[in-house]
Amino acid sequence: DGRQFPHPGHRRPVIGDLLTVDRSRPIQSMLEASRGLGPIWELQVLRQRLVFVGSAALTAELCEETRFCKALPPAVAALRDYAGDGLFTAHNDEPNWQLAHELLVPAFTKSAMRSYHPTMVETASELFDYWDRQLAHGPVDVSRDMTKLTMETLTRSAFSQDFGSFRSAEPHPFVAAMVTALETGRRKGTVRTLPGGGALAWLLDRRFARHQDYVDDMLDDLIAARTGSDDQHDLLGIMLNVAHPETGERLSPVNIRYQILTFLVAGHETTSGALSFALHYLSRNPECLARARDEVDGLLGDDPTAMPEFEQVAKFRYVRRVLDESLRIWPTVPGFARGPRESTLLADEYRMDPDDYAIVSLGAVHKDPEVWEEPDRFDPDRFLPENVKKRPPHSYKPFGAGLRACIGRQFAIHEAVLVLATLVHRFDIQADPDYDLRVTERLTMLPEGFELTLRPRTRTA
Ligand code: HEM
């Protein structure tokens, strides 16, 4: 029926392609196994059949909003247990998606970033001060500390809670409970697809419930405490106080809780992974580091502890290219799913019905040899405007596509550029020359065991 796609390795009865997938690094092993299969391939794991596309041309087609829209594969649908009909996990036709999208877009514009800028500066300064105190104890664990930083920035920007991540060795109970709830939720999504997985998921549910209840109760208390106040200085304030200009509708307290959880989940590891990969590449490419530092020194001056004004962040053009190039090689959200609005032929060849979906495999698209020369080489200048113009429009999609693209893109970029710039301004960085990049897969991709030795710069000259 035109729907058989190449698959990696030797397919076995019942388990299908299960043995092709390394459970500790499913995305990377799947990418490796799919090399040479062409622009579209499939994976059948037990009862699940997943179709992937890995070329810029097919991605462009799936990004046509008139024909395709976001789909929710089981792993994303599983997140609905705690993020409900929040922006990320809502089905396209759920009324709360449209409402929340319209109410929240203004809270994520470039100009809205001006109001989050002081929080971002303050949190980054706390991390750097913490590092100053830690230096005597040896190298810093980059992914761990970047994850603390992005979580802390989000909790402060979203609901003005300071969890003191850099003042205490132990994570705040809220952060610990949320991380446990998330991890359990992710495992639940996986086991549900196994034979007998329902019972396992039920067992996990019992464990999950305690942590999730704690997180939910805390957020519900916070929402209740702020209800009635007209303060709009953070995301929670905006969600409580802004009504739809035409219909007057507002988000319900439960939906506000879903949105807060969504921002925390969608915004923290994604950004910390991007920061960590960028630092990995900077530490490995001395010319790139020198160019980044020249740019920042030129804009921030002699004092290594200087922090930028809001307007200065957009001027770190080279640092921004470093971030873009890191997200090309390691898109921290490794893919997104698109399904047809009506039955259609993809590439005039592959039939797709409304219940089908294809996953855009960003690790493959961002290295499509039709588009990217020497795709494994780290070269931030690929993102010079004149080079971007030469490429087909949908060859780079780290923030997804169309209406359901990332609402937090500006937030992530502003924070990541600010942190990278000020970090290289303040510290000399040195990686362990024996470290080979290892990537751990949680909800997103993160460098594992990546450490940097930092030395404070005294003067920037
Ligand atoms: C959606 C990537 C940071 C909030 C998405 C999608 C991608 C993505 C690929 C689309 C997913 C899909 O189609 O299923 C990233 C990356 C980030 C990042 C790579 C950092 C480098 C953030 C931040 C926030 C955020 C900081 C919030 C503060 C969201 C939300 C959605 C989303 C709410 C769902 C939007 C909707 O469907 O209406 N993100 N994201 N993200 N992201 Fe991000």
Side-chain angles (χ1 to χ4, degrees), residues 70 87-88 97 266-267 270 332-333 336 398-400 404-408 412:
K70 167 161 168 155
L87 278 173
F88 188 78
W97 179 77
T270 46
T332 50
V333 175
F336 56 90
F399 292 99
R404 303 293 303 267
C406 182
I407 201 171

Side-chain angles (χ1 to χ4, degrees), residues 105-338:
V105 159
F108 283 103
T109 55
K110 183 85 196 165
S111 67
M113 292 311 123
R114 190 181 291 278
S115 60
Y116 308 122
H117 177 80
T119 303
M120 293 181 182
V121 165
E122 178 189 71
T123 319
S125 304
E126 284 179 28
L127 167 67
F128 298 159
D129 292 346
Y130 164 77
W131 276 347
D132 272 339
R133 298 192 299 274
Q134 291 297 308
L135 292 182
H137 306 295
V140 299
D141 178 332
V142 177
S143 304
R144 184 200 62 194
D145 288 350
M146 286 298 158
T147 304
K148 282 187 181 177
L149 171 84
T150 51
M151 178 65 125
E152 189 71 44
T153 308
L154 273 171
T155 57
R156 293 184 194 184
S157 310
F159 49 95
S160 302
Q161 281 284 318
D162 175 346
F163 285 133
S165 296
F166 303 114
R167 290 192 297 275
S168 112
E170 294 302 314
H172 187 280
F174 174 84
V175 176
M178 209 189 85
V179 170
T180 312
L182 263 179
E183 182 53 26
T184 322
R186 187 179 70 85
R187 275 197 270 156
K188 224 169 60 173
T190 316
V191 300
R192 264 192 202 139
T193 62
L194 302 174
L200 264 176
W202 181 81
L203 281 173
L204 278 171
D205 235 345
R206 293 185 53 186
R207 174 165 164 225
F208 177 63
R210 183 165 52 89
H211 299 285
Q212 190 60 45
D213 288 349
Y214 175 84
V215 171
D216 289 352
D217 288 348
M218 185 176 150
L219 288 178
D220 289 344
D221 288 349
L222 197 81
I223 294 165
R226 290 273 299 271
T227 304
S229 133
D230 56 6
D231 190 345
Q232 290 187 28
H233 73 280
D234 57 11
L235 279 165
L236 175 58
I238 294 171
M239 290 194 280
L240 283 169
N241 286 296
V242 177
H244 193 277
E246 280 147 35
T247 63
E249 274 176 289
R250 286 167 196 264
L251 298 177
S252 68
V254 170
N255 188 263
I256 291 179
R257 188 223 297 151
Y258 289 152
Q259 304 298 357
I260 292 181
L261 280 169
T262 298
F263 297 141
L264 297 184
V265 174
H268 93 288
E269 261 186 30
T270 46
T271 314
S272 79
L275 275 160
S276 306
F277 285 117
L279 283 165
H280 170 74
Y281 286 110
L282 282 175
S283 71
R284 286 302 159 104
N285 293 276
E287 349 59 81
C288 297
L289 177 60
R291 280 179 71 184
R293 185 173 266 173
D294 279 352
E295 175 178 80
V296 183
D297 289 355
L299 284 155
L300 290 186
D302 278 355
D303 175 5
T305 62
M307 295 304 266
E309 300 294 330
F310 173 75
E311 284 75 14
Q312 283 178 306
V313 176
K315 295 188 179 148
F316 299 131
R317 304 303 307 165
Y318 188 76
V319 175
R320 169 68 192 273
R321 296 206 286 282
V322 167
L323 179 72
D324 289 344
E325 175 68 344
S326 305
L327 278 170
R328 179 186 71 81
I329 301 184
W330 286 105
T332 50
V333 175
F336 56 90
R338 305 280 292 171

